[in-house]
Amino acid sequence: MKKKMKILFIGMMMITMLLSGCGAKETAIEEDQSLQEIKETATEGDQSLQEIKEKGKLVLGLDDSFPPMGFRDEKGEIVGFDIDLAKEVAKRMGVELELKPVEWDGVILSLKNKDIDVIWNGLSITEDRKKEIGFSKVYLENKQVIIVNANSELETKKDLAGEIIAVQLGSSGEAALNADIETVNGAKEVRKFSNYTEALLDLKAERVDAVVIDEVVGRYYISKKPGAYKVAKEDFGKEGYGVGVRKEEVAFIEEVDKILDEMKKDGTATEISEKWFGVAIVAE
């Protein structure tokens, strides 16, 4: 009798363990399925690329006085290196490109408010901006240089002590200058302008002594006025340009990156670069 009871007890224990094992396995499967569903939901939840395609247009926010990246030509039309790149990306995406000039110091707010879809206008990738918005991969290398009048003896950051330095409000040049406390504290004044055209006009008129500006932009201005300006020997460091988007729009910016990569491979990006700079300077 005792032997039968013992066998019965062992049998019941084995059945319980089997059932428990099945239950645990089913629970694990359910949890795995739940995790997969969460991942799929997260992917499906990002409709950023689809929304752009359904809308049929890509709204690009820019400062329209920022040659050669984006500016108005003699006919009043917005043209530029970034404009040509963006037009080709929009074309390959199957949408129209709409250009929307905005105040540069409020451009990130315009993006967040969905007044524009991208910031594509010589936008430097900085740590502060990365806290606010998302970026494409770097498509152009740049640095913040010091432009002075051709007859100026200013060559280094130390030479700016006691001088009036001009920057564009909300620009990377302003951020780079502000990060150099010694230079800022040593300057007589840091004068802020709404655009670089005004800043350089004041430099030519000697109302300011130097302008901190993106190298690609500064050298473009210098090429248009030979003998008027020069680039000082020292600069405020290197940086990269990227396309600015809303952080959550991962699918959309991945598509932009993919198309830009295609344009680099098929030579389109090089053609656009040579048109505006005379050489191929698009980042690999």
Side-chain angles (χ1 to χ4, degrees):
M1 183 69 178
K2 287 183 179 179
K3 187 176 181 180
K4 287 183 178 179
M5 289 293 291
K6 187 176 181 180
I7 293 170
L8 181 61
F9 176 75
I10 292 170
M12 289 178 68
M13 287 292 291
M14 289 179 67
I15 292 169
T16 302
M17 289 173 67
L18 284 169
L19 290 172
S20 297
C22 289
K25 188 176 180 181
E26 287 173 2
T27 302
I29 291 170
E30 287 174 3
E31 286 178 353
D32 287 343
Q33 287 175 337
S34 296
L35 288 171
Q36 184 62 32
E37 285 173 4
I38 289 169
K39 289 179 181 178
E40 288 175 358
T41 302
T43 304
E44 290 172 3
D46 180 7
Q47 298 294 319
S48 53
L49 176 59
Q50 190 61 31
E51 286 172 2
I52 291 292
K53 290 187 174 183
E54 288 177 358
K55 185 168 64 172
K57 66 179 179 180
L58 177 62
V59 183
L60 183 153
L62 78 158
D63 166 13
D64 62 356
S65 60
F66 194 58
M69 313 313 287
F71 64 104
R72 293 188 184 275
D73 63 12
E74 56 277 0
K75 297 178 181 178
E77 296 178 0
I78 299 175
V79 297
F81 171 73
D82 278 339
I83 306 306
D84 284 354
L85 278 182
K87 280 181 178 178
E88 184 63 24
V89 168
K91 178 183 175 182
R92 297 189 186 197
M93 202 177 283
V95 297
E96 297 293 323
L97 181 69
E98 179 181 322
L99 304 174
K100 189 170 183 177
V102 295
E103 289 296 327
W104 192 248
D105 60 334
V107 69
I108 289 179
L109 184 60
S110 294
L111 179 65
K112 287 185 171 183
N113 288 343
K114 297 191 175 184
D115 296 327
I116 56 177
D117 298 313
V118 293
I119 306 171
W120 200 334
N121 190 212
L123 182 66
S124 301
I125 301 173
T126 66
E127 291 305 313
D128 284 342
R129 283 174 176 163
K130 281 162 72 174
K131 294 174 186 176
E132 299 283 333
I133 62 175
F135 280 97
S136 69
K137 293 187 287 188
V138 173
Y139 67 88
L140 194 67
E141 299 289 347
N142 183 49
K143 58 186 175 182
Q144 295 299 324
V145 298
I146 304 165
I147 287 188
V148 295
N149 283 320
N151 60 355
S152 174
E153 295 182 358
L154 303 177
E155 290 290 356
T156 68
K157 290 187 278 188
K158 286 186 177 180
D159 292 339
L160 297 177
E163 308 292 346
I164 300 174
I165 307 171
V167 295
Q168 182 186 27
L169 187 64
S171 69
S172 299
E174 181 185 19
L177 177 62
N178 288 340
D180 194 316
I181 304 300
E182 185 178 350
T183 302
V184 172
N185 290 341
K188 179 180 179 181
E189 180 188 349
V190 175
R191 196 168 293 175
K192 300 176 182 180
F193 293 81
S194 61
N195 59 68
Y196 281 126
T197 304
E198 294 174 2
L200 288 165
L201 285 173
D202 268 27
L203 177 62
K204 187 177 180 182
E206 298 186 353
R207 288 188 287 269
V208 300
D209 303 296
V211 178
V212 179
I213 187 172
D214 297 72
E215 182 179 30
V216 292
V217 179
R219 291 195 181 280
Y220 177 82
Y221 275 112
I222 288 173
S223 70
K224 294 298 179 183
K225 294 185 179 295
Y229 309 114
K230 67 178 181 180
V231 177
K233 290 179 180 178
E234 197 170 3
D235 60 64
F236 284 89
K238 295 181 180 179
E239 61 193 12
Y241 281 164
V243 181
V245 299
R246 287 177 282 276
K247 273 190 174 185
E248 66 275 14
E249 298 188 343
V250 178
F252 168 56
I253 200 59
E254 284 181 348
E255 182 70 7
V256 172
D257 278 335
K258 183 173 78 72
I259 294 173
L260 284 173
D261 284 341
E262 290 171 357
M263 290 168 62
K264 292 173 189 177
K265 289 177 182 177
D266 65 25
T268 306
T270 297
E271 289 178 12
I272 294 171
S273 179
E274 289 176 343
K275 170 185 173 181
W276 290 101
F277 300 108
V279 292
I281 62 171
V282 176
E284 293 298 327

